[in-house]
Structures are given as structure tokens and as C-alpha cells.
Amino acid sequence: MEIPVKKNETYIVDIVDQGYEGEGIAKIDGYTIFIQGAIKEEKCKILILKTTKSHAFGKVLEIIEPSKERVETECSTYGQCGGCSLRHMRYDATLKLKREIVQNLIDKTLKNSLEVKTTIGMEKPYHYRNKAQYPIGYDKQGNITTGVFANRTHHIVPMQECEIQHPISEYLVKLVVNFLKENKISAYQEESNKGIFRHIVIKIGKRTKEVMCVFVVNEKNIPKEKELVNYVIKNFEQEYPEYMLKTIIKNINTKNTNVILGNQNVILYGDGYIYDRLGDYTFKISPMSFYQVNPTQTEILYDKAIVAADIQKEDIVLDLYCGIGTIGIYASKFAKQVFGIEIIEQAIEDAKENAKQNKIGNIEFICGDVEQALTKLLKNRKIQPNVVLVDPPRRGLDNTTIQNIIKVQPQKIVYISCNPATMVRDLKQLEDKYEINEVQPVDMFPFTSHVECVVVLQLK
């Protein structure tokens, strides 16, 4: 087939659908073009950026006929950073789109028809992130800057006011950058693997109002380290007296890598962690531990999962990819026993501390790769789980874990997914043995293309 479009040429197209990442889809002679920022039922003038044998990528030059779902965005960096890719749409339209993305994947992949529920949105979908990771680098004039990486690059777009980050995160990182400029402390440069400051990571306890600030550095020693710590504490206390800057940590990462955090943490102030509360429980959060970035929606997500699981007092529950134990601890008061498995050692230490903090005695946490640790647990302990909770990373479940679950045949599986594509792939392997009762999307990341789902499966 001859490609009907050419790179760097302009075309006028009708947007006929939306893609899995929220991009608009146009067709020219049956040839598919993906266009970021376009909305279904719009007519646009586009520039072709790249072509392949099967599809092309385009850029909107002009909206000729706008969709009724289109809105003007006030964000000055929208379209440059890779963050809120759906900010050009009305919020309720993004919720509808996310449901349709999940529904389309299910319709194309599963044998049995299934109606996806309406996406649960946020009442106030702004400034919801309790975690921020800001790269530190140089602008074109050689000045230290911070912000966000431009989409699919490591070029830093200078930070303005962000609609999804907590204002405290922006304030803290600006404080640090001001100190670096005034004291001529260097930023990290990927090309040479030289320079000191790589990232600033901030974590905030939404309910406790406790704040953690992490300096990710390329060397063991920071010039004027004590002065920097005192400068940040003093200014923060004056600006946000209702919050507590509980700890400041130096994370040392000397590797030439895209991974943000290194393995070594040095406490510069405080005790090295913060607490936050979800529902009735308190959780300890360290620099390395995973904690959901939108706690408001996390409570809704977990409540849905626990209600759907319908855990009984004699049930044995498996919590796979348990992180710091949040969902397992939620489930513990309904169950006889909970076993949590997680590969990250620090997360398991935090999980054990969280169980102790919340006075929970019927939960056990195991450190190891889920694939191997689950096999050992089932073989050596001979447990018979009634309910399995899974909250895997974006890559989904591995085949061994799926086969282990099928082998022990729990009455219910509750699958919490951050990636609907891998979710439906895994559900396809389970649907012969399990009835899929419910798929509930939850909007954990408003104005982005990401969608979280809770899926309930019942043994046939």
C-alpha cells in the first residue's frame, strides 16, 4: 500500500475517533493518523510529523471546526510537558473517554461481552498529587533551572504554576533552586555525568500535613549542606506554618541512569519518613516506598475493591504487589489472615511497620519476587486463599502468577490495574475459569490519559 501522506506536508482531516492515550485519530484513504490534542468530531489542519507503513503521527496547526468538548487551558506549559495530555477537554468528557478506552479494549480482547461502569471522577480535580519529582538542569543560557521534562525528551520545560501538583511542591523546589543559584552549586548534566543536583523529590501527607524533601545528588557531599537545610526549613516554616517539614533526605545516585533515586539515603533533618492516613489507617512513607499519589481517589478505589471482594471472617487473603501494605491492611479487619508479597525490601519494612502502627496482628508480609515467592508460599505453607488481591505494575501479571492463581482457584480475584491494556490481556487468561462481574474505572490522574480500574472476578 502506498502511503497517502508525506512528512512535513499539511492536510485537512476529520477526527473520527480517540486513541488509547487520548489522541485524535484521522483517516486518509484508510490510512491512520494519530494527532495529539485533537478531539473526535473536529475538523483540523494538521502537519505530518512522522510516517510508518501502517500509520502516521500529526500535529494540530489549526482547529477549523472545534468539538463542543474542547476548552481553553490556562496552563502556560500545556503541549510542551508530557503531563496533562487531556487538559484541552472538559473534565466530564475525559471521564467518558477513559471509560470508552477500557470498553474498547475489553470488546476487542475478551470472549464474553461486558459493560464497563461509568468512570468515578474527582469533585475537585486540581492540585491532587502528593508526590513530585523535579529534574534540575540548565537552560539554554546556562542558568540552573527546574520544571518538567518535555514530552518524550529530557529537555526541561521551565516550571510555571502546575494545575495538578501541590503548591508546596512547587514552593520547595523553587527554594532549593534559588539557593543553588546564589551559591553557585552545580546541576547534573547527563552527557558528562557531572554536576551535583539531579532531582528534588517531595512527598506530602495529605491528611497529616507532613512533608518530606529529598535532594537527589550525584556526589556524596553537597557544598554548604547545613546552610541549604537551614535555609529551606526557615523559609518553609514562614510560608506554610500549618504544615510540618518533617524530614530532609540526601539520596545519592552516581549512576548514569534514568532511574531517579539511588540506593543510599542520608538523613539531613528529621527522622527520614512521613506518615499519612488512608481511611482509618496510618501509613509510614519513606523515600523509596511506593504510595498512591492521589490519596483522595485511592480511598475510593480501595473502598470499591474491599466491598467488591466481600471478604468473610474465615477467608485467607493474598495481597500481591502489596507495596507498603495499604490494600492488605484495608482488607485485614474483614479476613482471618492476609499475606502480602512485594519485591522492594524497603516497602516490606514499611509494610511491617504499618501493620504494627495500626495494631494489626493477622497480616504477614513477605519480601520477594511475586512469581517466586507466591510459588514458595503455596507449596511450603500449603495455604488455600479464598480471595486474591492483585495490584501489579504497568506490565501486568506474569504467566507463572496467573497459573498459580488458577491452580489454587480462589473464590474471588480483585484486580486493581493501572494499565487497561495489560489488564485485559491478563483477564483473557482468567475468563475461562472466572466470571468477570464488574469493571469499575477510577480517575486517579485527572486530565491525563491514565485510568485505574477495579475488576472483580468470581470463580465459575
Side-chain angles (χ1 to χ4, degrees):
M1 171 184 169
E2 185 178 340
I3 297 174
V5 299
K6 292 183 179 179
K7 184 179 177 181
N8 296 328
E9 293 283 329
T10 61
Y11 299 85
I12 293 175
V13 296
D14 293 316
I15 308 302
V16 296
D17 207 348
Q18 303 282 160
Y20 293 134
E21 294 185 1
E23 69 275 46
I25 296 175
K27 300 270 188 180
I28 294 181
D29 296 338
Y31 182 75
T32 302
I33 307 165
F34 295 101
I35 306 138
Q36 191 66 47
I39 303 174
K40 186 178 178 180
E41 299 182 353
E42 289 187 328
K43 184 182 286 290
C44 304
K45 183 179 181 180
I46 65 168
L47 173 71
I48 299 297
L49 302 175
K50 179 183 177 181
T51 62
T52 71
K53 289 181 180 180
S54 60
H55 60 274
F57 298 94
K59 173 185 176 182
V60 174
L61 296 179
E62 181 186 352
I63 307 290
I64 298 169
E65 294 177 11
S67 163
K68 65 181 186 300
E69 310 293 6
R70 180 170 290 279
V71 293
E72 291 297 319
T73 175
E74 295 178 357
C75 178
S76 60
T77 58
Y78 180 66
Q80 299 177 64
C81 84
C84 308
S85 58
L86 302 180
R87 178 117 356 231
H88 59 285
M89 297 178 72
R90 290 191 303 110
Y91 182 56
D92 59 348
T94 71
L95 299 179
K96 183 181 176 184
L97 172 62
K98 292 183 183 192
R99 183 205 166 273
E100 289 172 353
I101 287 170
V102 179
Q103 185 71 63
N104 289 340
L105 284 166
I106 283 175
D107 291 345
K108 289 178 180 178
T109 310
L110 301 185
K111 289 185 291 187
N112 299 312
S113 61
L114 185 67
E115 187 74 18
V116 176
K117 292 196 167 187
T118 302
T119 308
I120 299 173
M122 286 192 80
E123 186 180 345
K124 297 178 181 177
Y126 303 98
H127 303 297
Y128 57 82
R129 289 188 63 93
N130 62 4
K131 177 186 176 184
Q133 301 176 150
Y134 291 104
I136 308 296
Y138 292 97
D139 60 21
K140 292 179 180 178
Q141 288 72 43
N143 301 311
I144 285 185
T145 188
T146 187
V148 290
F149 284 133
N151 197 18
R152 304 183 193 278
T153 77
H154 274 197
H155 167 68
I156 296 175
V157 177
M159 184 173 64
Q160 307 294 331
E161 290 184 4
C162 179
E163 292 287 321
I164 66 172
Q165 291 290 8
H166 198 294
I168 278 178
S169 297
E170 295 181 340
Y171 177 76
L172 274 171
V173 76
K174 286 176 181 176
L175 266 186
V176 175
V177 168
N178 285 342
F179 187 91
L180 301 184
K181 287 179 178 177
E182 289 172 7
N183 292 276
K184 295 182 172 53
I185 299 171
S186 62
Y188 178 70
Q189 294 175 284
E190 285 184 6
E191 302 79 16
S192 62
N193 198 30
K194 292 182 179 178
I196 298 174
F197 266 76
R198 300 176 71 128
H199 280 81
I200 308 295
V201 178
I202 293 120
K203 297 186 178 187
I204 302 166
K206 181 179 175 63
R207 289 200 175 166
T208 60
K209 297 188 183 301
E210 295 181 358
V211 180
M212 171 191 297
C213 184
V214 183
F215 306 146
V216 185
V217 293
N218 189 42
E219 297 179 9
K220 289 186 177 180
N221 298 312
I222 301 173
K224 298 189 176 181
E225 186 173 274
K226 288 183 180 178
E227 291 91 332
L228 170 58
V229 170
N230 291 335
Y231 173 82
V232 171
I233 293 169
K234 180 182 175 183
N235 283 279
F236 181 85
E237 287 176 347
Q238 290 176 354
E239 187 71 19
Y240 289 98
E242 71 276 24
Y243 282 79
M244 180 201 298
L245 181 54
K246 189 167 180 280
T247 190
I248 299 176
I249 296 157
K250 175 171 61 177
N251 176 271
I252 300 168
N253 183 2
T254 58
K255 293 181 180 178
N256 190 357
T257 174
N258 290 334
V259 177
I260 291 174
L261 293 174
N263 294 322
Q264 186 180 355
N265 290 305
V266 180
I267 298 171
L268 303 179
Y269 171 75
D271 46 22
Y273 56 87
I274 61 172
Y275 287 105
D276 199 15
R277 289 192 297 274
L278 282 177
D280 299 328
Y281 303 104
T282 301
F283 294 97
K284 180 181 180 181
I285 304 160
S286 67
M288 312 297 286
S289 61
F290 171 78
Y291 183 68
Q292 293 278 10
V293 300
N294 186 342
T296 301
Q297 293 297 88
T298 298
E299 289 185 343
I300 292 171
L301 183 81
Y302 284 1
D303 286 342
K304 283 284 176 186
I306 296 302
V307 169
D310 189 27
I311 300 166
Q312 304 298 310
K313 287 185 179 179
E314 292 304 309
D315 283 347
I316 305 294
V317 177
L318 284 181
D319 176 17
L320 307 183
Y321 309 94
C322 67
I324 61 173
T326 47
I327 188 73
I329 287 172
Y330 255 66
S332 63
K333 73 176 179 180
F334 303 102
K336 180 179 180 180
Q337 181 72 39
V338 179
F339 294 91
I341 301 175
E342 169 63 54
I343 195 170
I344 299 172
E345 191 173 343
Q346 180 63 58
I348 285 292
E349 290 304 310
D350 289 345
K352 290 176 179 177
E353 180 71 26
N354 288 330
K356 187 177 177 182
Q357 170 83 20
N358 291 287
K359 298 181 172 59
I360 295 168
N362 65 334
I363 193 164
E364 181 180 333
F365 292 106
I366 300 161
C367 186
D369 180 81
V370 165
E371 181 179 352
Q372 297 170 4
L374 178 57
T375 303
K376 286 182 182 177
L377 180 65
L378 296 174
K379 185 178 178 182
N380 299 339
R381 301 282 287 274
K382 302 210 171 3
I383 66 163
Q384 181 59 48
N386 311 89
V387 180
V388 174
L389 307 171
V390 294
D391 187 1
R394 291 191 62 78
R395 66 178 179 273
L397 298 172
D398 60 84
N399 287 329
T400 302
T401 299
I402 291 174
Q403 293 309 312
N404 274 331
I405 292 171
I406 291 172
K407 196 182 298 180
V408 298
Q409 294 192 358
Q411 287 299 309
K412 283 190 179 173
I413 303 168
V414 179
Y415 192 132
I416 299 173
S417 165
C418 61
N419 183 351
T422 55
M423 176 190 77
V424 296
R425 179 203 68 197
D426 296 342
L427 293 180
K428 186 178 181 181
Q429 293 194 62
L430 293 164
E431 70 173 332
D432 285 342
K433 293 279 187 183
Y434 284 85
E435 197 77 47
I436 303 171
N437 290 339
E438 182 179 332
V439 178
Q440 175 63 72
V442 179
D443 193 20
M444 297 285 285
F445 305 98
F447 297 111
T448 76
S449 59
H450 297 293
V451 56
E452 205 102 354
C453 291
V454 177
V455 184
V456 185
L457 301 96
Q458 177 81 41
L459 184 66
K460 290 182 179 178

